[in-house]
Amino acid sequence: MPTVNGVPTTPDTWGQIVGTANGALISGGTGNDVLYGTGGNDTYYGGDGSDTFVIAQSSLAQSTSTTNGYAAGAVIYDFTNAGVAWSPSNSDFIRFYGFGTAADGTTLTFDRYADVPGTHTADPTAQYYTIHDGLNGQNYEVYVHSLNGNHLVLGDYNFY
């Protein structure tokens, strides 16, 4: 069963598991879940299935946390099948909301890898991305643990 901060949570009217507090831990279940963080500094675990992570600009604007020593306004710990053809049974997706679109100049750019803890060796599954918001000119950082080590490509995410 999906949870928010360890508490079993029923999807809302739109089928979303919503974390409203700052620093929410939003976890999916065994199905295709929609996980939506609204409070900033949110952490997402999709679990099994093809999950959708909804990251709102208003949420990242409130974020001040770090992951592996780097700023990250949102953390996705289990992104499945990055950079490969989408599959309805086991491919995740990120819906960036409120940033504007590519036509507005909004972009997602790979920034860097995090190091393997205790070493100075880059971990290709631990990826930081910069979102440039074409509407307000601000940049935001997100952390994605890509289970297959591939970078995100358009199709793994989109801006709405």
Side-chain angles (χ1 to χ4, degrees):
M1 166 157 236
T3 64
V4 175
N5 296 326
V7 177
T9 304
T10 303
D12 67 9
T13 306
W14 297 279
Q16 303 174 127
I17 308 303
V18 180
T20 57
N22 188 297
L25 171 57
I26 308 162
S27 299
T30 58
N32 299 340
D33 301 301
V34 178
L35 310 176
Y36 190 172
T38 63
N41 303 313
D42 297 315
T43 300
Y44 303 83
Y45 288 95
D48 294 336
S50 293
D51 301 307
T52 299
F53 306 98
V54 182
I55 299 176
Q57 183 277 341
S58 58
S59 177
L60 292 186
Q62 303 174 57
S63 297
T64 59
S65 67
T66 62
T67 300
N68 296 331
Y70 297 103
V75 175
I76 297 172
Y77 270 111
D78 65 343
F79 194 91
T80 303
N81 283 342
V84 299
W86 189 83
S87 162
S89 63
N90 200 26
S91 289
D92 292 339
F93 183 78
I94 305 172
R95 182 186 314 149
F96 291 109
Y97 176 75
F99 295 91
T101 64
D104 300 316
T106 301
T107 59
L108 180 74
T109 307
F110 172 76
D111 189 17
R112 66 187 171 283
Y113 297 114
D115 288 343
V116 174
T119 75
H120 294 289
T121 305
D123 178 352
T125 68
Q127 304 171 4
Y128 287 88
Y129 291 85
T130 299
I131 302 166
H132 175 73
D133 186 338
L135 295 178
N136 68 16
Q138 297 293 311
N139 291 322
Y140 306 95
E141 197 82 3
V142 296
Y143 170 88
V144 176
H145 178 225
S146 171
L147 295 179
N148 65 3
N150 291 343
H151 289 189
L152 298 175
V153 298
L154 193 60
D156 293 329
Y157 68 92
N158 211 338
F159 293 97
Y160 299 91

